[in-house]
Amino acid sequence: MVSTNRNIVLIGFMGVGKTTIGHELATLLQRPFIDLDQAIEKEFGKTILEIFSKDGEEAFRKKERKLFGHIMNKENYIVSLGGGAFLQKDIQRQSLEKGEVIFLDISFSAWVERLPLLKKDRPLLQNKSHQEIKELYHSRREVYTNAHHTIHTDRLGPLQIAKEIKKAIQ
Ligand code: S3P
C-alpha cells in the first residue's frame, strides 16, 4: 500500500528510463525523489564513466551499498537504482524488506533501439558484443523479476508508466 510510506524502489535494465519515470512518479505522488547514480556522481565529483575507469567498479558498488543503506533509513522516497544495484545481495534484501520494489521491464527488441545512445556513457556496454549484451540483459532480467511489481514499459510513455505504478501499489 502506498500509504505506508515505504520507499518506492525502481529497478530495471540500463536505460529503461528509471530516472525519468522516477521524476514523473515523484510529481504524481508528491514524494521526494533520489536517483542513486546521480547521488554517487555527486559524492565522487565524477561521472559514472570516470568512476569506473579511475576508481574501479568495486569502489562504485561499495558506494552504491553505502548510499542505498542511508536512503533506506528514510521513508517516503522514490528511489531509482542503477541497473546493477539490485544484483547486490544487500541492496536486494533491504529493498524487498523495507521498500516497495517496482521492476520496469522492457523487451530486448525495444531496448536495443536505445543501445547506440547508451553506449556513450554506460561503462558496462563498452567493448561488448551484441551477444554478450543480450546475455547480460537476460541474466539481469531474471533477478529483476524478484521485485514486488512488474510494469511493462514498451508501449507507454513516462507519465503513463508512473500512473501504472501508482495503480500497482494501491
Ligand atoms: C549499471 C547501470 C548504470 C550505472 C552503471 C552500472 C549496471 O545505471 O549504475 O553504469 O551495472 O547495469 P542505469 O541503469 O541508469 O544505466
Side-chain angles (χ1 to χ4, degrees):
M1 265 304 282
V2 71
S3 60
T4 59
N5 296 332
R6 282 160 77 93
N7 291 336
I8 297 172
V9 182
L10 303 180
I11 66 165
F13 204 49
M14 283 170 259
V16 68
K18 299 177 292 279
T19 307
T20 310
I21 295 160
H23 278 295
E24 287 287 359
L25 188 62
T27 306
L28 195 66
L29 300 180
Q30 292 290 290
R31 289 192 185 206
F33 172 66
I34 297 183
D35 178 80
L36 188 58
D37 278 346
Q38 285 172 2
I40 293 170
E41 287 184 323
K42 209 168 153 193
E43 280 261 322
F44 276 93
K46 296 174 197 164
T47 66
I48 303 280
L49 260 188
E50 287 167 341
I51 299 167
F52 269 68
S53 66
K54 295 185 180 142
D55 304 85
E57 181 172 350
E58 189 38 45
F60 172 81
R61 298 298 175 198
K62 196 171 161 192
K63 192 67 85 182
E64 264 188 331
R65 290 193 293 276
K66 188 172 167 213
L67 292 188
F68 187 69
H70 291 329
I71 296 167
M72 294 308 278
N73 285 332
K74 308 173 200 267
E75 286 189 328
N76 215 36
Y77 275 81
I78 313 284
V79 192
S80 63
L81 302 189
F86 194 70
L87 278 287
Q88 301 209 57
K89 288 281 167 231
D90 278 1
I91 293 183
Q92 186 171 154
R93 183 185 42 77
Q94 265 184 299
S95 50
L96 289 170
E97 281 175 12
K98 292 185 174 178
E100 200 72 38
V101 184
I102 316 290
F103 167 33
L104 299 173
D105 198 9
I106 182 169
S107 66
F108 188 72
S109 56
W111 181 81
V112 132
E113 290 175 18
R114 304 177 186 186
L115 182 54
L117 201 69
L118 295 173
K119 276 206 166 184
K120 292 190 178 138
D121 61 1
R122 299 314 201 271
L124 293 186
L125 298 177
Q126 320 283 316
N127 310 314
K128 275 207 175 65
S129 69
H130 188 83
Q131 187 55 31
E132 284 170 328
I133 291 173
K134 195 171 183 180
E135 280 166 18
L136 183 67
Y137 165 91
H138 284 291
S139 64
R140 291 276 182 87
R141 193 178 174 280
E142 217 173 291
V143 181
Y144 298 148
T145 58
N146 289 325
H148 297 119
H149 309 277
T150 297
I151 307 289
H152 299 281
T153 64
D154 278 19
R155 277 173 293 276
L156 303 176
L159 179 59
Q160 288 170 300
I161 296 167
K163 286 180 178 168
E164 289 299 313
I165 297 171
K166 188 178 176 196
K167 263 194 258 165
I169 58 180
Q170 270 170 348

